[in-house]
C-alpha cells in the first residue's frame, strides 16, 4: 500500500528505476562476467564524474527555466588558462609545497573564469533579455573561438604530475577521487535545492518568473547567481576532465553538451523550468554510464552504440511519459503564451 | 503610404542585417585594400555559402513552424554516408551522380519521417525530440552501420560534380579560383523556399502554425499532416544537401556534421527568425549566412590570424542577437 | 418552421463520471442576442463546444431551423453557419490582417497557391459587412484588442454565419470599445444573425441581450427574456444565494498620511499625479483601460520608474526602484493577472502563499519546510481557502481561491500599504464578497489599502475615497458620502 502510494506520487522515479533494472539485467545476462567486476565499476566511477558534475551544474539552469550550452566551452577556456599557469609555474624539481600552491591557484583561476563566464550569461539573459538558448550558444562560440585562437588549436600540456596523481588517487583507499568530488558536490547541490531559500526560489522562478518578481524578489539576481553556480559546478567537472586527459584543449568534451542535456531530460528535468527531482538525476546518470560501459564490454561494438541506445531510450521515455499523468514533456500552453507575451 | 511602408521596413531585422552586411563588406574592402571584392575572394565566399546557406534554409522553415531542429546534421550524415557507401559498394555513380542523390534523399526522408511521426503524433517539445533523434541517428550511422570514411574511392561522378565550375578567375598573384556549379543548388533552393513560404498555402500554414497552433487547427489546417510533411521534406533536403557537401569536399566523412547545428541555428536567428516561431524570411537568413561567411573568409585579408575565425563568428552573432533583443525590449515600452 | 434557430433540449454530457451538463435546455431565436451566463465551471464552455461540434453530447436533442441534428461535427457546424469567436480570438499575431481574414476560406476552398488579389477581395468583403475599415497590411499583433475582435467578427461573417458565439468578448475592452462592439452586434442582429453572448458582467448582459440563459453546476436554472429578470434575481440565479451589498465603513483613519504622492509623472502613462493615503482607509483608483491606473500602481511597487515627482512614505521621500525595495518599504502589490503575474500555477499552494515571506520561515538562507507548511496552513484557514491539501498545485483552485492566495502572500510581511489591482477580476460573485470582507478587515486593522478597478460598483461599495483617472490625469476625487455609480461614470467618460 505504501509502495503503491509512493509509486503513484513518483511515477517518473519508478519508471527510471524500472529502466535501470532493465539495463542491469540486460548487461548481466549478456556480459555478466564483465559487468560484475570491481574493474568495471571502478572504470565507471572514473568516467562519469566529469560530465556528472556538468549535469549537476546545468540542472540549476534548467530548474529556473533557462538553458546553458556554453559550459563545456567555458570550462575549456578556463582550464586552458589554468594549465598554462600551472605548467609555467610548477617547474620540474620544485618543492611539493610549491607545486601544491600552484595547483590550488590554478584551480582558483579556473573557478574565477567560470564565475565571470556564468555572470556574463546571466547578464545577457536577465538584463538584456536575450533568450537563454541564443545567449549561451553565442557565448559558447565566443569561448571556444577564444580558446582556439589562444592555443592555435593545439593541446596545452605540462600539467604538474601531482595534479594528475591526485585525479587518479583513491580517497580512504577505495573511493576514486573524481567520484569523491562528485559525491560531495551532489550532496551539496541536493541540500541547496532542497533546504535553502535559493532552492525554493529557483523552482518558483522556473514556473513563473514574473510572479516571483511581483512578490518582491530580485529574480534577476537569482538567475544570474544560477548561471554562476552552473558555470562553477561544471567548471569542477572540467578540472576533472583535465586531470583525466592530462592536458587542456579548445574542443575537449564537445559531445558533453548534448549528453548533459540528454541526461537532464531523461531525468525529467526540463528546460521549461520548475520541474525535476535530484534523485532522478542520479538515476539517469547511472543509467547513461552503465549503458556506455556495458556497450564497451562487447568487443564488436564501438562506442557509438551507446549513443544509439541513449537516443532510443530518450525517445521511449518521451513517448511513454505522454501516457503518464501530467505528461511533462508535452508542449505547455501556458509556457508558450508566456514566451509570446515576453517577446 | 510610402512613409508607413518605410517604417515597416525599418522594423524588420532583415533590414538591419542587410545594412550591416553592406557596411561590413565596405569596411573590409577598405581595410584590406580592395582585396575583398576581388573576383577570387568573391567566388570563394560564394562557394562557402552553398552548403551552409541550404542548411540554414531548412533550419529556417522548421523554425518558422515553431520547431527547433537539432537533428538535421545527423540525418544528413546518415543519408550521405549510406548513399555513398552503397554507391561505392555497387560501383554506381561513376558517370552519373543521380542515383547517389536519390538514395540520400530517400534515406533523409525516412529519418525525417521518423522525426515527423514523433513530433506530430505526440505533440512533444521539438527540441527535446530532435535531441533524442540526433543521438539515435548518430548511433545508427557510426554504431549500428559503422559507416566508414570514403575519400579516395569516392565515385568519380561525385568528384566531377564537385570540381565542375562555371568560370575561373585569377587574382593578382595568379592564384586560380573557380565558381562552383553547386551554386545553382543554392540558387534553386532559395527560389523554391521563398516561393513555398510566400506563395503556397503550405508555406503560409507554417507561419500560421508558428504564430498560433491552436488557431491554425481551428482555422481548418491539418496541423498533424503539415508537420509530418514538413519534417519529411526537411529530412529529404538534409540528405540532398549532405550529398552536395560530399561532392564539394570530395570525400564522405560520417563525423563531419557533428555540431553543425550549433553553427547554423544561431545564424538563422541572426537573420531574423524567432525561436518562438512564426517569424523569419529567406532574405534575412541568406544575408546572415553571407555575413558570417564574409567574416570568416576575410580574416586573413584584414591581417587577422585564421584561428580567430570562430571567435569573430561568435562575436558577430552575440552582437546581432543583443541588438535585436535590446531593440525588442525598447519597442515593448 | 420553428421560431427558433437553434433548439436544444435535455442535453447531457459527462466527463469521466462527472456530470458537466445535466439536462440543459437552450433556445435561440434568429436576429436575437442570447446571453449565456454562469460562474466559472458551470458548464458554459462545454455547451458551446457541443454546439460547435468539438464535443459529442451523451443525450438530448438538437434542432437547427427545425431540422433534427444527430451528430454535429466541426465541419457540419461551419456549414450550418455556426461560428465561434473564442476568447483568444484564434488569430495569428504574426500575419497581416489580410491574411487573417482570408485564411479560413482559402483553407475551406482547398487552395494551394496564394493569390494576393483574391485575398484582398475576401478581406475587403469581410470588412464591408460591418463597415469597418483598417489597413490590411498591418500585422495582427500590432492591433488593439478591440480591433482584433472586430477582425475576428468579420472573419466569422465570411461563412454566411447564422449564429455567432462570442466567448467573453468584453474582458479586455474599455467601455468605449465595448460600446463599439455592441453597435456591431446590433447591426448583425438587424441582418437576422443570432448572437450567443457569453458573459458574467451584469451590466452588459442587461444592455445587450434579448434572452438570457443562466447555468449553475451543469443545469440551467433560468431561461427566458431578459425583461423578465431583475438584477437581484440574476445574481441569485448565478450564485444560488442572495447577496446583500456590504459597504466598507472606515473605523479609524489616521490623521497623518502614510503615503504622499506629489506631481508624479511617467511618460507616456500618467502625468502630474498627486494624492495622499492614510492608514485605515481604502482608496479607490478607477478609470478606463489605458487611463494610467495600472501603471501608477506599478510605479508605487517599483515596476515602472517615474520620470519626475516625489513619493513620500511617512513624510520621508523615497525612491522605489524595484519590487524588493517596495517590499522593504512595506508596500505590497496584488497584480491584475493571476495567471501570468500572481501565481506559480504549477507549484504547491503552500509555497505560493509563502513566496513573499520566505525570510520569515528561514534562517540564514536555510529553509524550514515544516514552518513554511504550518504558516501556509494558518493562512489557508484564516482566509478559508478551499483546499484539502496545501501541497496541491495552485492551478487546482478556482479563481476566487487563487486570488486569496495572492492576497495571503503579503500577510506575513507586516505591510503599511497594500495595492490591489483588479482584485476580483474573473472571480465568482460569491468569492468576490469573501475577498471584499477580507480587505475590509485589513483596513480595519490599520492597513492603508488602494483598490484599483474598472468595476465601478466594486469601488463604490468598498472604498472610503475614490480617485478617478482619465488619460493619465486625475480628473476627480470624492469622499465616501459623495461616491455614487453615476458620478463616477460621468467623470470617467
Amino acid at each position: 500500500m505504501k509502495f503503491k502510494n509512493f509509486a503513484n506520487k513518483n511515477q517518473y522515479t519508478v519508471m527510471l528505476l524500472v529502466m535501470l533494472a532493465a539495463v542491469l539485467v540486460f548487461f548481466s545476462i549478456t556480459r555478466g562476467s564483465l559487468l560484475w567486476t570491481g574493474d568495471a565499476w571502478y572504470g565507471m566511477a572514473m568516467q562519469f564524474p566529469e560530465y556528472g558534475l556538468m549535469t549537476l551544474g546545468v540542472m540549476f539552469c534548467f530548474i529556473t527555466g533557462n538553458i546553458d550550452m556554453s559550459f563545456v566551452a567555458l570550462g575549456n577556456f578556463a582550464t586552458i588558462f589554468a594549465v598554462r599557469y600551472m605548467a609555467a609555474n610548477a617547474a620540474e624539481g620544485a618543492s611539493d609545497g610549491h607545486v601544491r600552491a600552484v595547483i590550488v591557484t590554478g584551480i582558483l583561476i579556473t573557478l574565477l573564469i567560470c564565475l565571470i563566464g556564468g555572470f556574463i550569461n546571466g547578464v545577457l539573459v536577465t538584463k538584456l533579455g536575450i533568450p537563454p538558448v541564443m545567449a549561451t550558444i553565442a557565448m559558447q562560440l565566443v569561448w571556444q573561438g577564444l580558446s582556439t585562437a589562444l592555443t592555435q588549436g593545439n593541446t596545452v600540456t605540462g600539467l604538474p604530475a601531482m595534479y594528475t596523481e591526485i585525479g587518479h588517487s583513491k580517497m580512504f583507499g577505495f573511493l576514486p577521487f573524481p567520484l569523491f568530488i562528485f559525491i560531495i558536490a551532489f550532496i551539496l547541490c541536493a541540500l541547496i535545492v532542497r533546504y535553502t531559500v535559493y532552492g525554493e526560489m529557483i523552482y518558483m522562478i522556473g514556473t513563473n518568473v514574473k510572479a516571483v518578481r511581483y512578490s518582491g524578489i530580485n529574480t534577476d539576481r537569482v538567475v544570474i547567481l544560477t548561471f554562476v553556480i552552473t558555470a562553477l559546478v561544471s567548471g569542477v567537472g572540467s578540472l576533472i576532465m583535465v586531470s583525466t586527459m592530462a592536458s587542456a584543449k579548445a574542443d575537449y568534451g564537445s559531445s558533453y553538451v548534448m549528453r548533459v542535456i540528454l541526461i537532464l531530460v531523461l531525468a525529467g528535468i526540463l528546460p521549461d523550468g520548475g520541474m525535476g527531482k535530484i534523485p532522478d538525476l542520479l538515476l539517469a546518470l547511472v543509467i547513461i554510464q552503465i549503458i556506455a560501459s556495458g556497450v564497451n564490454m562487447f568487443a564488436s561494438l564501438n562506442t557509438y552504440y551507446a549513443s544509439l541506445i541513449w537516443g532510443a531510450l530518450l525517445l521511449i521515455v518521451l513517448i511513454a511519459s505522454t501516457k503518464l499523468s501530467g505528461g511533462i514533456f508535452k508542449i505547455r500552453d501556458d509556457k508558450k503564451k508566456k514566451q509570446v507575451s515576453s517577446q | 503610404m510610402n512613409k508607413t511602408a518605410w517604417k515597416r521596413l525599418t522594423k524588420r531585422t532583415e533590414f538591419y542585417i542587410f545594412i550591416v552586411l553592406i557596411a561590413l563588406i565596405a569596411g573590409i574592402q577598405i581595410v584590406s585594400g580592395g582585396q575583398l571584392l576581388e573576383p577570387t575572394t568573391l567566388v570563394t565566399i560564394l562557394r562557402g555559402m552553398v552548403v551552409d546557406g541550404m542548411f540554414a534554409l531548412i533550419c529556417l522553415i522548421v523554425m518558422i513552424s515553431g520547431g527547433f531542429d537539432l537533428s538535421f546534421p545527423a540525418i544528413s550524415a546518415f543519408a550521405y554516408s549510406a548513399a555513398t557507401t552503397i554507391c561505392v559498394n555497387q560501383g554506381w555513380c561513376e558517370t552519373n551522380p543521380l542515383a547517389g542523390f536519390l538514395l540520400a534523399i530517400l534515406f533523409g526522408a525516412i529519418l525525417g519521417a521518423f522525426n515527423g511521426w514523433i513530433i506530430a503524433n505526440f505533440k512533444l517539445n521539438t527540441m527535446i525530440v530532435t535531441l533524442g533523434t540526433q543521438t539515435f541517428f548518430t548511433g545508427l550511422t557510426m554504431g549500428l552501420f559503422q559507416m566508414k570514411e570514403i575519400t579516395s574511392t569516392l565515385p568519380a561522378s561525385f568528384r566531377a560534380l564537385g570540381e565542375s565550375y562555371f568560370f575561373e578567375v585569377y587574382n593578382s598573384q595568379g592564384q586560380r579560383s573557380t565558381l562552383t556549379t553547386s551554386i545553382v543548388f543554392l540558387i534553386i533552393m532559395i527560389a523554391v523556399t521563398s516561393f513555398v513560404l510566400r506563395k503556397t498555402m503550405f508555406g503560409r500554414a507554417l507561419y500560421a502554425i508558428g504564430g498560433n497552433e491552436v488557431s491554425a487547427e481551428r482555422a481548418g489546417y491539418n496541423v498533424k499532416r503539415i508537420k509530418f510533411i514538413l519534417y519529411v521534406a526537411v529530412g529529404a533536403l538534409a540528405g540532398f544537401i549532405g550529398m552536395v557537401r560530399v561532392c564539394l569536399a570530395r570525400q564522405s566523412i560520417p563525423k563531419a556534421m557533428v555540431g553543425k547545428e550549433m553553427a547554423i541555428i544561431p545564424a538563422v536567428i541572426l537573420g531574423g527568425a524567432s525561436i518562438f516561431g512564426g517569424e523569419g524570411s529567406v532574405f534575412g537568413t541568406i544575408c546572415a549566412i553571407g555575413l558570417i561567411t564574409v567574416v570568416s573568409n576575410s580574416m586573413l585579408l584584414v591581417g587577422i590570424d585564421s584561428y580567430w575565425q570562430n571567435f569573430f563568428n561568435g562575436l558577430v552573432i552575440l552582437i546581432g542577437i543583443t541588438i535585436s533583443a535590446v531593440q525588442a525590449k525598447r519597442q515593448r515600452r | 418552421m420553428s421560431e427558433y434557430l437553434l433548439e436544444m433540449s435535455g442535453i447531457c454530457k459527462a466527463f469521466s463520471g462527472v456530470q458537466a451538463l445535466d439536462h440543459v435546455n437552450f433556445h435561440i431565436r434568429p436576429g436575437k442576442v442570447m446571453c449565456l451566463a454562469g460562474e466559472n465551471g458551470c458548464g458554459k464552455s462545454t455547451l458551446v463546444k457541443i454546439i460547435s461540434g468539438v464535443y459529442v453530447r451523451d443525450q438530448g436533442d438538437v434542432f437547427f431551423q427545425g431540422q433534427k441534428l444527430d451528430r454535429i461535427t466541426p465541419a457540419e457546424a461551419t456549414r450550418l453557419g455556426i461560428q465561434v469567436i473564442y476568447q483568444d480570438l484564434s488569430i495569428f499575431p504574426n500575419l497581416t490582417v489580410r491574411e487573417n481574414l482570408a485564411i479560413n476560406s482559402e483553407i475551406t476552398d482547398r487552395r494551394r497557391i496564394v493569390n494576393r488579389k483574391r485575398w484582398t477581395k475576401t478581406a475587403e468583403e469581410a470588412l464591408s459587412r460591418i463597415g469597418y475599415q483598417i489597413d490590411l497590411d498591418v500585422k495582427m499583433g500590432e492591433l488593439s484588442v478591440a480591433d482584433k475582435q472586430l477582425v475576428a467578427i468579420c472573419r466569422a461573417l465570411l461563412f454566411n454565419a447564422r449564429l455567432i458565439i462570442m466567448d467573453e468578448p468584453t474582458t479586455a475592452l474599455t467601455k468605449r470599445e465595448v460600446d463599439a462592439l455592441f453597435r456591431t452586434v446590433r447591426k448583425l442582429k438587424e441582418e437576422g444573425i443570432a448572437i450567443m453572448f457569453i458573459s458574467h458582467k451584469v451590466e452588459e448582459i442587461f444592455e445587450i441581450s434579448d434572452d438570457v440563459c443562466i447555468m449553475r453546476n451543469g443545469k440551467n436554472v433560468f431561461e427566458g427574456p431578459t425583461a423578465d429578470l431583475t438584477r437581484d434575481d440574476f445574481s441569485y440565479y448565478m450564485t444560488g444565494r442572495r447577496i446583500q451589498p456590504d459597504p466598507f465603513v472606515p473605523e479609524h483613519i489616521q490623521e497623518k498620511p502614510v503615503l504622499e504622492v506629489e506631481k508624479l509623472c511617467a511618460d507616456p502613462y500618467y502625468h502630474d499625479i498627486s494624492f495622499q493615503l492614510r492608514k485605515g482607509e481604502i482608496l479607490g483608483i478607477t478609470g478606463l483601460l489605458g487611463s494610467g491606473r495600472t501603471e501608477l500602481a506599478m510605479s508605487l511597487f517599483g515596476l515602472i520608474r517615474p520620470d519626475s515627482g516625489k513619493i513620500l512614505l511617512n513624510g520621508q521621500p523615497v525612491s522605489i526602484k524595484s519590487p524588493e525595495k517596495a517590499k522593504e518599504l512595506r508596500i505590497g502589490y496584488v497584480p491584475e493577472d493571476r495567471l501570468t503575474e500572481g501565481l506559480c500555477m504549477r507549484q504547491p499552494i503552500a509555497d505560493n502563499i509563502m513566496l513573499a515571506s520566505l525570510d520569515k520561515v528561514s534562517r540564514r538562507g536555510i529553509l524550514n519546510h515544516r514552518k513554511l507548511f504550518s504558516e501556509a496552513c494558518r493562512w489557508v484557514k484564516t482566509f478559508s481557502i478551499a483546499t484539502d491539501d496545501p501541497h496541491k498545485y495552485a492551478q487546482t483552485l478556482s479563481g476566487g481561491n487563487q486570488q486569496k492566495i495572492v492576497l495571503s502572500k503579503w500577510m506575513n510581511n507586516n505591510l503599511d500599504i497594500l495595492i490591489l489591482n483588479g482584485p476580483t477580476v474573473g472571480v465568482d460573485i460569491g468569492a468576490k464578497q469573501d475577498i471584499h470582507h477580507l480587505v475590509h478587515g485589513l483596513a480595519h486593522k490599520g492597513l492603508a489599502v488602494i483598490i484599483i478597478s474598472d468595476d465601478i460598483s466594486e469601488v463604490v461599495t468598498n472604498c472610503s475615497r475614490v480617485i478617478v483617472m482619465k488619460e493619465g490625469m486625475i480628473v476627480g476625487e470624492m469622499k465616501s458620502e459623495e461616491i455614487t455609480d453615476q458620478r463616477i461614470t460621468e467623470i470617467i467618460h
Side-chain angles (χ1 to χ4, degrees), chain C residues 382-393:
Chain C
T382 319
F383 278 15
S384 50
I385 296 169
T387 178
D388 52 343
D389 182 5
H391 285 305
K392 283 188 180 164
Y393 284 172

mmCIF file of all heavy atoms in Angstrom, chain C residues 382-393:
data_model
loop_
_atom_site.group_PDB
_atom_site.id
_atom_site.type_symbol
_atom_site.label_atom_id
_atom_site.label_comp_id
_atom_site.label_asym_id
_atom_site.label_seq_id
_atom_site.Cartn_x
_atom_site.Cartn_y
_atom_site.Cartn_z
ATOM 1 N N THR C 382 -7.213 30.908 7.857
ATOM 2 C CA THR C 382 -7.664 32.281 8.099
ATOM 3 C C THR C 382 -8.472 32.825 6.930
ATOM 4 O O THR C 382 -9.486 33.485 7.106
ATOM 5 C CB THR C 382 -6.459 33.222 8.314
ATOM 6 O OG1 THR C 382 -5.502 32.549 9.110
ATOM 7 C CG2 THR C 382 -6.879 34.497 9.002
ATOM 8 N N PHE C 383 -7.994 32.570 5.739
ATOM 9 C CA PHE C 383 -8.661 33.098 4.541
ATOM 10 C C PHE C 383 -9.664 32.113 3.968
ATOM 11 O O PHE C 383 -10.192 32.317 2.892
ATOM 12 C CB PHE C 383 -7.607 33.451 3.480
ATOM 13 C CG PHE C 383 -6.959 34.795 3.697
ATOM 14 C CD1 PHE C 383 -7.075 35.447 4.906
ATOM 15 C CD2 PHE C 383 -6.252 35.411 2.687
ATOM 16 C CE1 PHE C 383 -6.488 36.679 5.112
ATOM 17 C CE2 PHE C 383 -5.664 36.657 2.882
ATOM 18 C CZ PHE C 383 -5.782 37.287 4.102
ATOM 19 N N SER C 384 -9.906 31.035 4.705
ATOM 20 C CA SER C 384 -10.760 29.930 4.235
ATOM 21 C C SER C 384 -10.579 29.642 2.747
ATOM 22 O O SER C 384 -11.502 29.747 1.936
ATOM 23 C CB SER C 384 -12.232 30.164 4.578
ATOM 24 O OG SER C 384 -12.645 31.440 4.175
ATOM 25 N N ILE C 385 -9.354 29.286 2.404
ATOM 26 C CA ILE C 385 -9.053 28.871 1.033
ATOM 27 C C ILE C 385 -9.493 27.420 0.886
ATOM 28 O O ILE C 385 -9.114 26.567 1.683
ATOM 29 C CB ILE C 385 -7.537 29.005 0.745
ATOM 30 C CG1 ILE C 385 -7.124 30.483 0.823
ATOM 31 C CG2 ILE C 385 -7.192 28.419 -0.608
ATOM 32 C CD1 ILE C 385 -5.639 30.729 0.825
ATOM 33 N N ALA C 386 -10.324 27.163 -0.113
ATOM 34 C CA ALA C 386 -10.967 25.853 -0.210
ATOM 35 C C ALA C 386 -10.028 24.812 -0.815
ATOM 36 O O ALA C 386 -10.031 24.569 -2.015
ATOM 37 C CB ALA C 386 -12.233 25.965 -1.057
ATOM 38 N N THR C 387 -9.203 24.216 0.040
ATOM 39 C CA THR C 387 -8.380 23.100 -0.437
ATOM 40 C C THR C 387 -8.230 22.099 0.690
ATOM 41 O O THR C 387 -8.220 22.465 1.863
ATOM 42 C CB THR C 387 -6.996 23.580 -0.898
ATOM 43 O OG1 THR C 387 -6.236 22.436 -1.294
ATOM 44 C CG2 THR C 387 -6.261 24.312 0.202
ATOM 45 N N ASP C 388 -8.124 20.818 0.316
ATOM 46 C CA ASP C 388 -7.956 19.806 1.357
ATOM 47 C C ASP C 388 -6.472 19.571 1.636
ATOM 48 O O ASP C 388 -6.101 19.016 2.643
ATOM 49 C CB ASP C 388 -8.638 18.495 0.946
ATOM 50 C CG ASP C 388 -8.194 18.030 -0.430
ATOM 51 O OD1 ASP C 388 -7.635 18.868 -1.169
ATOM 52 O OD2 ASP C 388 -8.388 16.862 -0.754
ATOM 53 N N ASP C 389 -5.624 20.016 0.712
ATOM 54 C CA ASP C 389 -4.204 19.747 0.884
ATOM 55 C C ASP C 389 -3.377 20.871 0.249
ATOM 56 O O ASP C 389 -3.305 20.977 -0.975
ATOM 57 C CB ASP C 389 -3.871 18.402 0.221
ATOM 58 C CG ASP C 389 -2.403 18.043 0.397
ATOM 59 O OD1 ASP C 389 -1.695 18.787 1.108
ATOM 60 O OD2 ASP C 389 -1.985 17.028 -0.170
ATOM 61 N N PRO C 390 -2.738 21.695 1.066
ATOM 62 C CA PRO C 390 -1.938 22.801 0.511
ATOM 63 C C PRO C 390 -0.731 22.342 -0.303
ATOM 64 O O PRO C 390 -0.031 23.156 -0.875
ATOM 65 C CB PRO C 390 -1.484 23.567 1.763
ATOM 66 C CG PRO C 390 -2.413 23.155 2.834
ATOM 67 C CD PRO C 390 -2.817 21.759 2.529
ATOM 68 N N HIS C 391 -0.473 21.008 -0.319
ATOM 69 C CA HIS C 391 0.602 20.520 -1.176
ATOM 70 C C HIS C 391 0.192 20.505 -2.643
ATOM 71 O O HIS C 391 1.022 20.353 -3.523
ATOM 72 C CB HIS C 391 1.005 19.096 -0.774
ATOM 73 C CG HIS C 391 1.812 19.047 0.481
ATOM 74 N ND1 HIS C 391 2.966 19.751 0.645
ATOM 75 C CD2 HIS C 391 1.625 18.374 1.638
ATOM 76 C CE1 HIS C 391 3.465 19.509 1.846
ATOM 77 N NE2 HIS C 391 2.656 18.693 2.477
ATOM 78 N N LYS C 392 -1.124 20.607 -2.871
ATOM 79 C CA LYS C 392 -1.595 20.556 -4.260
ATOM 80 C C LYS C 392 -1.199 21.818 -5.017
ATOM 81 O O LYS C 392 -0.956 22.856 -4.419
ATOM 82 C CB LYS C 392 -3.121 20.414 -4.280
ATOM 83 C CG LYS C 392 -3.594 19.006 -3.974
ATOM 84 C CD LYS C 392 -5.082 18.901 -4.217
ATOM 85 C CE LYS C 392 -5.564 17.506 -3.910
ATOM 86 N NZ LYS C 392 -7.036 17.463 -3.776
ATOM 87 N N TYR C 393 -1.193 21.695 -6.339
ATOM 88 C CA TYR C 393 -0.817 22.831 -7.171
ATOM 89 C C TYR C 393 -1.864 23.954 -7.082
ATOM 90 O O TYR C 393 -3.054 23.696 -6.921
ATOM 91 C CB TYR C 393 -0.698 22.413 -8.632
ATOM 92 C CG TYR C 393 0.557 21.654 -8.951
ATOM 93 C CD1 TYR C 393 0.730 21.065 -10.196
ATOM 94 C CD2 TYR C 393 1.590 21.538 -8.030
ATOM 95 C CE1 TYR C 393 1.885 20.365 -10.514
ATOM 96 C CE2 TYR C 393 2.742 20.843 -8.325
ATOM 97 C CZ TYR C 393 2.885 20.264 -9.568
ATOM 98 O OH TYR C 393 4.030 19.585 -9.877
#
